[in-house]
Amino acid sequence: MSENYAFTPPATVSVPVVGSLERFPVHRIYCVGRNYEEHAKEMGFTGREPPFFFLKPADAIVVAEPGQTASTPYPTLTSNLHHEIELVVAIGTGGKNIKAADAAKHIHGYAVGLDMTRRDLQGEMKKLGRPWCIGKAYDHSAPIGPITLAANAGDVNNAPIWLQVNGADRQRSNVNKLIWNVAETIEHLSAAWELQPGDLIYTGTPEGVNAVVRGDTMVGAVDGLTPISVQVV
């Protein structure tokens, strides 16, 4: 028996998979806050604090296809839009209370993503002790490149990660500088939520976050994965 809906449901948000005609359907987007020490310092924090998470809606995804430059609109209500380059983990097998030692079994693949941030709005919410959603979870705030299957991603946990804006370096680090590595992040995250196939985890950004304006082109990569190119329009 078919369902009757009040209106046509939106199409499933999906991300291409390298070397496959299949696409990865997105369930939820989890993001890890302040997960590189040097970035934590530039945001006014130090030390290995317990990991914390925020979410973006699945339809915040902007897919940067291989060899193409995607477009992301400059959002409303802000005059301080920041880039944050991140390794993204794609969950293929769900689970709850997953141990770090077992985390790899749940990973479908990896991609390069951008956690775009209305920094001024985020800052205002922090001062007021209110949720950051307006600064982090807005439309088009989660650009992502194609997903590389885990078996083909190489040593992603020790891969250089970098971002250039208009050809000039902005962020450059290594995934091995994550405060909470991928496996530890999955352990903590799955203790709070039951992970599902289709979940994406944006694992945090290194130092060097800064503003972009209309016309800027961001090119970012994690070695071994497909780079992304995104222009602010």
Side-chain angles (χ1 to χ4, degrees):
M1 179 178 177
S2 61
E3 299 285 353
N4 292 317
Y5 296 104
F7 52 87
T8 301
T12 300
V13 176
S14 64
V15 180
V17 177
V18 175
S20 174
L21 296 177
E22 295 180 342
R23 296 181 67 91
F24 182 89
V26 179
H27 177 243
R28 290 178 181 168
I29 303 173
Y30 296 98
C31 303
V32 188
R34 297 196 296 263
N35 203 22
Y36 284 81
E37 184 176 357
E38 293 305 315
H39 174 59
K41 288 178 180 177
E42 73 182 357
M43 300 299 290
F45 298 85
T46 60
R48 195 182 197 227
E49 61 185 330
F52 68 95
F53 308 97
F54 57 93
L55 285 83
K56 291 177 183 267
D59 62 3
I61 287 289
V62 175
V63 175
E65 299 285 350
Q68 300 180 17
T69 297
S71 296
T72 186
Y74 196 97
T76 58
L77 304 180
T78 185
S79 59
N80 194 19
L81 176 65
H82 278 206
H83 57 73
E84 299 190 8
I85 189 71
E86 311 211 359
L87 170 68
V88 182
V89 179
I91 296 297
T93 302
K96 190 168 178 61
N97 295 316
I98 300 166
K99 297 302 181 185
D102 298 322
K105 302 174 186 176
H106 296 261
I107 298 172
H108 188 74
Y110 301 91
V112 183
L114 285 165
D115 167 18
M116 300 302 295
T117 302
R118 296 193 278 203
R119 189 72 72 201
D120 44 0
L121 299 185
Q122 183 194 27
E124 289 173 15
M125 294 302 102
K126 285 182 178 180
K127 290 177 184 177
L128 295 170
R130 294 175 181 173
W132 302 354
C133 300
I134 197 169
K136 286 285 193 179
Y138 62 90
D139 298 340
H140 314 292
S141 62
I144 189 172
I147 293 168
T148 297
L149 295 177
N152 301 328
D155 188 9
V156 71
N157 292 298
N158 291 290
I161 179 172
W162 55 268
L163 178 82
Q164 294 182 332
V165 177
N166 302 328
D169 270 15
R170 285 284 186 90
Q171 295 183 263
R172 192 167 289 273
S173 187
N174 193 294
V175 175
N176 63 25
K177 293 184 179 180
L178 282 168
I179 295 173
W180 298 95
N181 65 32
V182 169
E184 292 168 333
T185 294
I186 289 173
E187 180 173 299
H188 283 279
L189 189 60
S190 67
W193 291 273
E194 182 171 356
L195 295 181
Q196 301 290 336
D199 286 343
L200 296 174
I201 305 170
Y202 280 59
T203 57
T205 195
E207 67 275 15
V209 300
N210 213 319
V212 287
V213 297
R214 287 183 180 88
D216 283 348
T217 297
M218 302 170 288
V219 175
V222 173
D223 281 14
L225 307 181
T226 303
I228 60 169
S229 179
V230 180
Q231 185 176 49
V232 183
V233 297

